């Protein structure tokens, strides 16, 4: 089969589509995720050398896999530690599930094994994030570095350190035992959520959002929903991300400044993503997972998505959902969000009471949104001097330049506003 | 980045072979599981209820199908991808199925990027107004 021009881009596209499955299959073959990734990379290099001359093969994924497997065998023969590796492969072959489906093997999928390994709790969070984007998202080290605004060698080190840890800790290419599944799944979902949030509200840098990173996280969440169709929290996270991502086109103004939820032009919300998010939330309900932390956050996002204008928002429902959320999964950030919802549902004084109770909270000591929320409520109460001071404090605490500009503007506006 | 793919074609007068339909379903499932295919549907022929509402020279007109001057639009798909090359790869796989499983089929898959959040708000780095 022949294809015209730009084969280099075509190879990269095939890589993006095939790499996760390729690495997952190889990892089962050689029993080491790090080695599997190196072999897959070698196959990619071979493709970049051969395809421009010979054309992209009819089955590019199969081509990459057989090339990588041949290299695996060659490399094992050549290596000085041949015996040790051979023993490792032998051991892995023993551990490898047989061809017959095992009734205890409730998650029988290489890709899923790869997900759980990339997000393994023995790894540091930054290592899990980098490894997940690299192994499952098909991102290059350079792309991950750009996404997180860190130098490329730093990402390279995180990935190689993570691979080394997996090797040293002798983490097998296996699914977690059923007893460990909830904790291991939580670790996976946390990684995806973290990637999304970094794109949704960048913690640093000149841009308020980085939509491409949100898209990468969504792609991972959709992949997970396919791999774990019966886990309600997976669909809960997916619903949350689809609905939050639907706001991205309205979340940034023409000058790059942040536009917060009440001020967004809802006509610019992405209806396809809203619809997909609501469908995922239906799936959560079918599975009986309404009270999972992600499901509750998704239900809150859905309540916003279903209000055609900000004034039509069902704040009582949202405040009630937050009440359940802080019960199910206590977190000062969720409690702060509850303060906002209570402020809308029951008036600013009631909201401020909830927010004020958080002032001693250590985890929020340097969290810019605590003073920002208090400022907003104080402003509504006509306590403009206090509001201005709190907005200024929020501006001081944030590392995002766009957010700082927003808080400073509001501080100024509060000062200028006459006291009622 | 989001891409709309429109399949245009001249269908042979026979119904599509079941093997092709099965292969299309399998490819669609694969793309859905990979998290890249957001939406896809087939379209009824323009002769089966297609209508055009047109403005020309200040006059509105409503014309029933079929529209014979162009190839039929057969289906659409919406993908979320990182690159145009990735879109070309998925479209190539789709069109290849038609080549392999429906003798005589001719057509094209047109790939169009959908404007997204990256097109709103934020200006490119170095644009005026950025620090």
């Amino acid at each position: 089969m022949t294809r015209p021009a730009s084969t280099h881009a075509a190879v990269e596209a095939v890589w993006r589509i095939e790499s996760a499955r390729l690495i997952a299959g190889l990892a089962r073959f050689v029993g080491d995720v790090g080695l599997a990734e190196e072999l897959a990379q070698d196959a990619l290099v071979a493709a970049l050398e051969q395809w421009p001359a010979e054309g992209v093969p009819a089955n590019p994924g199969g081509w990459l896999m057989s090339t990588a497997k041949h290299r695996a065998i060659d490399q094992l023969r050549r290596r000085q530690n041949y015996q040790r590796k051979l023993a490792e492969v032998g051991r892995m072959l023993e551990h490898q599930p047989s061809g017959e489906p095992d009734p205890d093997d409730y998650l029988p999928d290489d890709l899923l094994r790869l997900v759980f390994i990339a997000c393994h709790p023995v790894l540091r969070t930054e290592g899990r994030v980098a490894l997940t984007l690299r192994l499952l998202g098909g991102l290059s080290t350079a792309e991950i570095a750009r996404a997180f605004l860190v130098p490329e060698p730093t990402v390279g080190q995180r990935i190689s350190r993570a691979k080394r840890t997996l090797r040293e800790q002798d983490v097998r290419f296996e699914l977690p035992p059923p007893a460990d599944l909830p904790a291991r799944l939580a670790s996976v979902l946390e990684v995806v959520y973290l990637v999304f949030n970094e794109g949704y509200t960048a913690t640093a840098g000149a841009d308020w959002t980085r939509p491409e990173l949100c898209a990468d996280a969504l792609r991972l969440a959709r992949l997970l929903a396919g791999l774990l169709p019966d886990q309600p929290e997976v669909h809960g996270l997916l619903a949350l991300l689809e609905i939050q991502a639907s706001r991205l086109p309205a979340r940034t103004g023409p000058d790059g400044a942040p536009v917060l939820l009440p001020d967004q032009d809802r006509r610019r919300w992405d209806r396809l993503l809203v619809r997909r998010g609501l469908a995922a939330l239906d799936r959560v309900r079918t599975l009986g997972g309404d009270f999972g932390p992600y499901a509750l956050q998704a239900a809150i996002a859905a309540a916003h998505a279903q209000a055609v204008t900000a004034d039509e928002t069902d704040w009582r429902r949202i405040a009630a959902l937050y009440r359940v959320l802080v019960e199910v999964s206590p977190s000062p950030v969720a409690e702060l969000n509850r303060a906002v919802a209570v402020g809308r549902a029951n008036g600013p004084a009631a909201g401020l009471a909830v927010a004020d109770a958080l002032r001693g909270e250590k985890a929020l000591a340097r969290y810019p949104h605590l003073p920002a929320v208090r400022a907003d409520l104080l402003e509504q109460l006509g306590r403009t001097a206090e509001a201005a001071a709190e907005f200024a404090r929020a501006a001081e605490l944030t590392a995002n330049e766009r957010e700082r500009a927003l808080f400073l503007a509001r501080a100024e506006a509060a000062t200028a506003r006459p006291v009622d | 980045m989001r891409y709309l793919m429109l399949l245009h074609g001249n269908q042979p007068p026979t119904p599509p072979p079941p093997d092709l339909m099965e292969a299309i379903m399998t490819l669609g499932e694969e793309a859905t599981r990979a998290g890249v295919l957001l939406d896809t549907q087939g379209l009824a022929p323009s002769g089966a209820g297609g209508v055009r509402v047109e403005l020309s020279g200040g006059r509105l007109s409503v014309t029933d199908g079929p529209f014979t001057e162009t190839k039929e639009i057969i289906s659409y798909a919406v993908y979320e991808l990182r690159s145009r090359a990735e879109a070309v790869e998925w479209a190539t796989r789709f069109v290849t199925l038609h080549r392999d499983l429906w003798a005589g089929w001719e057509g094209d898959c047109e790939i169009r990027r959908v404007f997204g959040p990256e097109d709103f708000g934020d200006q490119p780095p170095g644009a005026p107004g950025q620090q």
Side-chain angles (χ1 to χ4, degrees):
Chain A
M1 151 168 207
T2 52
R3 275 188 235 203
S6 188
T7 318
H8 195 281
V11 176
E12 284 181 358
V14 168
W15 175 257
R16 185 92 66 198
I17 293 168
E18 303 290 345
S19 64
R21 275 184 301 194
L22 181 64
I23 294 165
L26 286 168
R28 178 156 47 74
F29 184 61
V30 299
D32 180 308
V33 170
L35 180 58
E37 206 242 349
E38 283 159 30
L39 291 164
Q41 288 285 347
D42 287 350
L44 174 67
V45 171
L48 285 166
E49 284 164 5
Q50 293 180 32
W51 294 3
E54 297 162 17
V56 178
N59 176 1
W63 189 98
L64 287 168
M65 180 58 98
S66 68
T67 303
K69 281 195 171 173
H70 282 117
R71 292 204 173 217
I73 293 160
D74 286 350
Q75 205 177 335
L76 292 181
R77 286 201 182 114
R78 265 201 317 269
R79 278 196 177 180
Q80 286 187 332
N81 52 8
Y82 169 66
Q83 289 301 333
R84 187 174 65 82
K85 281 287 169 190
L86 207 60
E88 269 178 36
V89 171
R91 191 197 66 203
M92 282 316 298
L93 289 173
E94 274 170 43
H95 285 282
Q96 189 179 326
S98 64
E100 291 298 308
D102 182 339
D104 295 332
D105 216 4
Y106 61 107
L107 304 167
D109 197 316
D110 288 339
L111 212 46
L112 197 51
R113 289 170 225 270
L114 192 61
V115 168
F116 281 114
I117 297 237
C119 300
H120 201 285
V122 298
L123 304 175
R124 292 155 68 157
T125 305
E126 59 192 27
R128 279 188 262 161
V129 167
L131 209 54
T132 301
L133 287 172
R134 176 75 176 256
L135 300 182
L136 290 145
L139 270 68
S140 68
T141 305
E143 286 169 327
I144 299 168
R146 269 203 303 278
F148 283 88
L149 308 176
V150 291
E152 199 178 325
T154 308
V155 176
Q157 282 161 13
R158 286 176 188 174
I159 290 172
S160 52
R161 194 185 303 132
K163 286 182 189 166
R164 198 181 331 122
T165 305
L166 290 174
R167 206 166 295 154
E168 284 166 4
Q169 305 267 335
D170 200 19
V171 172
R172 302 269 168 89
F173 192 63
E174 291 171 345
L175 293 172
D180 293 352
L181 184 67
R184 294 287 300 275
L185 182 58
S187 172
V188 173
L189 299 180
E190 183 195 4
V191 167
V192 176
Y193 194 38
L194 212 143
V195 172
F196 183 88
N197 275 331
E198 186 54 32
Y200 199 61
T201 308
T203 50
D207 293 327
W208 159 240
T209 62
R210 290 202 287 279
E212 187 126 288
L213 202 50
C214 293
D216 287 326
L218 259 171
R219 190 167 172 168
L220 288 170
R222 292 177 191 135
L223 177 75
L224 285 179
L227 292 174
L228 294 160
D230 300 328
Q231 292 291 330
E233 275 293 86
V234 175
H235 297 279
L237 175 65
L238 178 59
L240 175 63
L241 302 195
E242 299 267 18
I243 296 173
Q244 288 199 314
S246 77
R247 297 181 203 146
L248 278 167
R251 207 159 183 266
T252 305
D255 54 354
V259 183
L260 300 182
L261 190 54
D263 305 318
Q264 288 172 10
D265 181 348
R266 294 176 180 225
R267 294 168 303 180
R268 291 173 76 182
W269 285 356
D270 188 325
R271 291 170 185 81
L272 176 56
L273 294 188
V274 171
R275 179 154 60 81
R276 290 177 57 90
L278 296 177
L281 198 54
D282 277 347
R283 176 90 187 130
V284 172
R285 290 181 181 134
T286 309
L287 293 169
D290 302 51
F291 295 120
Y294 288 115
L296 286 163
Q297 291 176 76
I300 292 163
H304 287 298
Q306 283 162 328
V308 179
T309 64
D311 290 342
E312 287 166 70
T313 308
D314 187 349
W315 285 107
R316 283 182 188 281
R317 175 173 165 74
I318 291 171
L321 286 165
Y322 271 120
R323 187 77 194 86
V324 182
L325 178 63
V326 296
E327 208 61 52
V328 170
S329 173
S331 124
V333 172
E335 183 67 7
L336 184 61
N337 285 323
R338 190 172 80 84
V340 175
V342 168
R344 298 278 175 177
N346 303 332
L352 190 62
V354 178
D356 282 351
L358 287 166
R359 287 171 88 183
E361 187 65 54
K362 266 208 175 71
L364 298 184
R366 300 199 55 77
Y367 188 62
H369 295 280
L370 175 57
V373 165
R374 289 196 69 251
D376 188 66
L377 293 162
L378 287 164
E379 192 178 30
Q380 289 177 51
L381 289 167
R383 292 159 64 178
T384 50
E386 290 165 87
E390 283 292 79
F391 276 129
R393 168 90 183 129
E396 206 174 286
L397 289 174
T398 183
N400 184 293
E401 291 164 25
R402 296 293 188 180
E403 205 170 58
R404 185 179 310 124
L406 175 85
F407 291 147
L408 287 175
R410 292 206 59 184
E412 204 172 315
T415 313
R417 217 186 104 175
V419 182
D420 298 329
Chain B
M1 284 166 282
R2 192 169 292 181
Y3 292 89
L4 173 69
M5 303 205 192
L6 288 170
L7 185 71
H8 304 104
N10 292 318
Q11 311 271 37
T14 50
D19 283 358
L20 174 64
M21 297 319 288
E22 181 59 31
I24 288 174
M25 299 287 274
T26 304
L27 184 67
E29 188 190 340
E30 190 192 323
T32 302
R33 293 180 75 94
V36 295
L37 177 58
L38 304 188
D39 190 16
T40 183
Q41 298 289 341
L43 306 179
S46 66
V51 189
R52 273 184 186 158
V53 179
E54 194 179 2
L55 175 65
S56 178
R59 279 182 45 129
L60 278 172
S61 61
V62 178
T63 315
D64 287 337
F67 313 120
T68 50
E69 73 276 21
T70 51
K71 287 178 198 154
E72 282 283 322
I73 306 173
I74 296 162
S75 65
Y76 75 87
V78 178
Y79 280 80
E80 186 77 44
L81 303 165
R82 258 201 167 234
S83 70
R84 181 172 166 274
E86 233 184 302
V88 172
E89 179 61 29
W90 285 107
T92 301
R93 291 182 183 195
F94 188 55
V95 173
T96 302
L97 295 180
H98 288 74
R99 181 197 64 185
D100 294 346
L101 297 169
W102 199 357
W105 189 90
E106 289 203 343
D108 64 84
C109 182
E110 183 176 337
I111 300 169
R112 303 284 295 270
R113 190 169 73 80
V114 178
F115 281 140
E118 66 273 14
D119 299 297
F120 300 106
D122 280 332
Q123 295 165 10
Q130 286 217 330
Q131 290 101 347

